């Protein structure tokens, strides 16, 4: 019997260890994407040795899957050393990248050390649209070259494409392109606030009609039976607080990088102590459906991907309604699309963003 990554993830829910950990290696980036959640691109990140020590502690903690994100990971001179060290510790590794800096030798390197997956951000089939979003001339050609090199060398790759006003006309073409290459894709209309709570990015979000068109498209929608399984009152409000960690490039630790409530710093304590001893994290783990009073009376419950991190960060209420979740759920309901538990978890993974 073969086990999938999802089987492992579900098994980890019964363990006191995080399954996923995401490390922001840097905020420096060669692109300046108009929708990006990063507000300041100046921080290079933790030192090589600090990252190595963090990976050692994550190994001891029982982490199974490591995601490296940025900024642009490959702008660090030591990015190969870090990825190689993670593989030496037998982590499954995923690298988020915009693909504009990777060379053929880099792709061969990723193949030879058996990274699990590379996720590349592609915003349009139209070079002008893509480059206008990234503000980097020629980025489309470089990104597409990276995608096709990954296919050539059989490196598992996922195209990620957030959809908003600027590239709304592109989502079907992106899906068709990914399918023509036989690779995975993730198309999402969720545009987050910046990490300093600046909501100017919300102006880029799709209107209701555009949102329905995207979410109702067969290549985007997924059928299911509802986010909350079994008794809603006893359901876990956020799986991330049980098996996900995010460490930013300054060393602050969060449940995930959509849940930007710091639960500690690796410069003051190690990740093991933070995971087991953070009082705030213990509080988050106690939240159940019964605590979400707005959800009880909401007719969107079975369509909702409510993220408590977004409710906290964008709406200032950890226990309240997520305006982003409500917008997406309203569209899901209009399109008749229920959300199953696996799809919900995939959305959580997508929240470990690198677009």
């Amino acid at each position: 019997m073969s086990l999938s990554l999802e089987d492992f993830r579900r098994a980890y829910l019964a363990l006191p260890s995080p399954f996923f950990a995401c490390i922001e290696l840097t905020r420096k980036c060669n692109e300046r994407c108009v929708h990006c959640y990063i507000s300041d691109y100046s921080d290079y990140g933790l030192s090589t040795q600090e990252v190595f020590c963090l990976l050692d502690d994550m190994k001891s903690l029982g982490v199974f899957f490591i995601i490296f994100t940025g900024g642009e990971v490959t702008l660090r001179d030591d990015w190969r050393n870090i990825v190689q060290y993670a593989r030496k510790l037998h982590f499954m590794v995923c690298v988020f990248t915009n693909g504009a800096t990777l060379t053929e030798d880099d792709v061969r390197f990723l193949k030879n050390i058996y990274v699990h997956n590379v996720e590349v951000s592609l915003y349009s089939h139209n070079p002008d649209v893509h480059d206008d979003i990234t503000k980097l001339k020629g980025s489309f050609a470089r990104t597409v070259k990276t995608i096709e090199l990954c296919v050539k060398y059989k490196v598992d790759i996922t195209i990620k494409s957030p959809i908003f006003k600027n590239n709304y006309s592109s989502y079907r073409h992106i899906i068709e392109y990914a399918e023509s290459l036989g690779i995975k894709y993730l198309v999402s209309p969720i545009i987050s606030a910046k990490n300093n709570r600046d909501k100017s990015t919300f102006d880029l979000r799709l209107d209701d009609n555009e949102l329905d068109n995207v979410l109702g498209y067969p290549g985007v929608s997924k059928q299911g039976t509802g986010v909350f399984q079994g008794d809603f009152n006893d359901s876990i409000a956020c799986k991330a607080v049980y098996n996900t960690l995010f460490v930013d490039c300054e060393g602050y630790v969060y449940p995930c990088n959509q849940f930007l409530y710091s639960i500690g710093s690796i410069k003051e304590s190690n990740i093991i102590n933070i995971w087991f001893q953070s009082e705030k994290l213990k509080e988050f783990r106690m939240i159940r459906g019964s605590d979400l009073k707005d959800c009880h009376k909401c007719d969107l419950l079975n369509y909702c991907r409510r993220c408590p991190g977004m409710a906290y960060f964008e709406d200032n209420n950890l226990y309240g309604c997520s305006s982003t979740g409500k917008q997406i759920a309203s569209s899901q309901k209009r399109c008749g699309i229920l959300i199953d538990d696996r799809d919900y978890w995939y959305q959580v993974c997508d929240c470990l963003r690198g677009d």
Side-chain angles (χ1 to χ4, degrees), residues 252-269:
Y252 291 104
V253 184
Y254 307 86
C256 82
N257 75 341
Q258 284 282 25
F259 202 153
L260 294 180
Y261 192 115
S262 177
I263 56 174
S265 169
I266 63 167
K267 296 187 177 183
E268 298 174 1
S269 182

Side-chain angles (χ1 to χ4, degrees), residues 166-179:
N166 306 48
N167 66 343
Y168 168 66
S169 62
S170 299
Y171 69 94
R172 296 189 184 199
H173 299 282
I174 291 170
I175 291 170
E176 290 168 2
Y177 174 62
E179 290 177 340

Side-chain angles (χ1 to χ4, degrees), residues 14-118:
L15 300 175
S17 301
F19 180 75
F20 286 99
C22 181
I23 302 174
E24 181 184 58
L25 290 182
T26 182
R27 291 197 188 115
K28 287 189 175 296
C29 193
N30 53 323
E31 298 181 343
R32 291 293 184 270
C33 299
V34 296
H35 64 288
C36 185
Y37 67 96
I38 294 176
S39 58
D40 180 359
Y41 295 91
S42 63
D43 202 311
Y44 179 79
L46 300 169
S47 70
T48 307
Q49 194 56 44
E50 285 175 320
V51 176
F52 283 180
C53 289
L54 174 59
L55 289 169
D56 288 336
D57 287 343
M58 286 181 169
K59 182 68 176 179
S60 298
L61 183 56
V63 173
F64 184 78
F65 194 107
I66 296 285
I67 297 169
F68 292 118
T69 188
E72 174 51 41
V73 168
T74 61
L75 292 185
R76 286 188 59 131
D77 296 335
D78 59 356
W79 76 269
R80 282 194 182 195
N81 294 335
I82 290 171
V83 173
Q84 191 165 37
Y85 190 75
R87 288 296 298 125
K88 181 181 177 181
L89 294 176
H90 304 294
F91 289 113
M92 293 187 74
V93 173
C94 177
V95 177
F96 287 0
T97 176
N98 58 40
T101 64
L102 284 172
T103 65
E104 187 163 0
D105 188 56
D106 290 331
V107 174
R108 282 195 296 263
F109 163 77
L110 293 169
K111 170 66 175 179
N112 290 337
I113 64 168
Y114 301 100
V115 294
H116 175 72
N117 184 242
V118 175

Side-chain angles (χ1 to χ4, degrees), residues 80-312:
R80 282 194 182 195
N81 294 335
I82 290 171
V83 173
Q84 191 165 37
Y85 190 75
R87 288 296 298 125
K88 181 181 177 181
L89 294 176
H90 304 294
F91 289 113
M92 293 187 74
V93 173
C94 177
V95 177
F96 287 0
T97 176
N98 58 40
T101 64
L102 284 172
T103 65
E104 187 163 0
D105 188 56
D106 290 331
V107 174
R108 282 195 296 263
F109 163 77
L110 293 169
K111 170 66 175 179
N112 290 337
I113 64 168
Y114 301 100
V115 294
H116 175 72
N117 184 242
V118 175
E119 298 198 359
V120 177
S121 300
L122 180 68
Y123 303 116
S124 179
H125 64 298
N126 183 323
D128 292 335
V129 173
H130 179 94
D131 289 2
D132 185 60
I133 289 171
T134 65
K135 304 305 177 187
L136 179 64
K137 187 173 178 59
S139 59
F140 172 84
R142 297 175 209 167
T143 296
V144 167
K145 182 180 179 181
T146 291
I147 291 169
E148 296 182 358
L149 281 171
C150 285
V151 172
K152 174 184 175 180
Y153 286 101
K154 296 182 170 57
V155 175
D156 192 80
I157 184 169
T158 300
I159 290 176
K160 293 199 305 184
S161 186
I163 302 298
F164 48 100
K165 293 288 187 184
N166 306 48
N167 66 343
Y168 168 66
S169 62
S170 299
Y171 69 94
R172 296 189 184 199
H173 299 282
I174 291 170
I175 291 170
E176 290 168 2
Y177 174 62
E179 290 177 340
S180 74
L181 295 175
I183 61 178
K184 299 187 291 291
Y185 61 87
L186 178 59
V187 171
S188 171
I190 296 178
I191 302 299
S192 305
K194 290 183 178 292
N195 56 10
N196 63 354
R197 279 196 157 105
D198 176 0
K199 298 181 182 179
S200 61
T201 51
F202 287 11
D203 294 339
L204 301 172
R205 288 179 170 182
L206 303 178
D207 63 34
D208 286 349
N209 182 61
E210 293 166 335
L211 190 59
D212 292 354
N213 288 336
V214 172
L215 291 178
Y217 187 66
V220 178
S221 62
K222 297 179 182 180
Q223 299 300 310
T225 56
V227 168
F228 296 99
Q229 307 297 303
D231 181 9
F232 169 71
N233 287 329
D234 292 332
S235 62
I236 297 170
C238 180
K239 291 183 176 68
V241 298
Y242 282 88
N243 57 9
T244 300
L245 278 173
F246 170 62
V247 182
D248 75 9
C249 65
E250 299 176 66
Y252 291 104
V253 184
Y254 307 86
C256 82
N257 75 341
Q258 284 282 25
F259 202 153
L260 294 180
Y261 192 115
S262 177
I263 56 174
S265 169
I266 63 167
K267 296 187 177 183
E268 298 174 1
S269 182
N270 67 48
I271 198 74
I272 300 170
N273 289 337
I274 293 170
W275 178 258
F276 287 111
Q277 297 177 14
S278 167
E279 292 301 322
K280 210 62 191 175
L281 194 55
K282 291 177 184 178
E283 176 188 333
F284 295 156
R285 289 171 182 153
M286 294 301 294
I287 301 174
R288 293 294 183 268
S290 58
D291 299 309
L292 308 177
K293 304 306 181 184
D294 290 344
C295 294
H296 281 268
K297 56 191 177 185
C298 184
D299 62 354
L300 299 174
L301 181 62
N302 287 329
Y303 304 89
C304 188
R305 287 179 169 127
R306 179 190 181 276
C307 168
M310 295 185 81
Y312 161 73

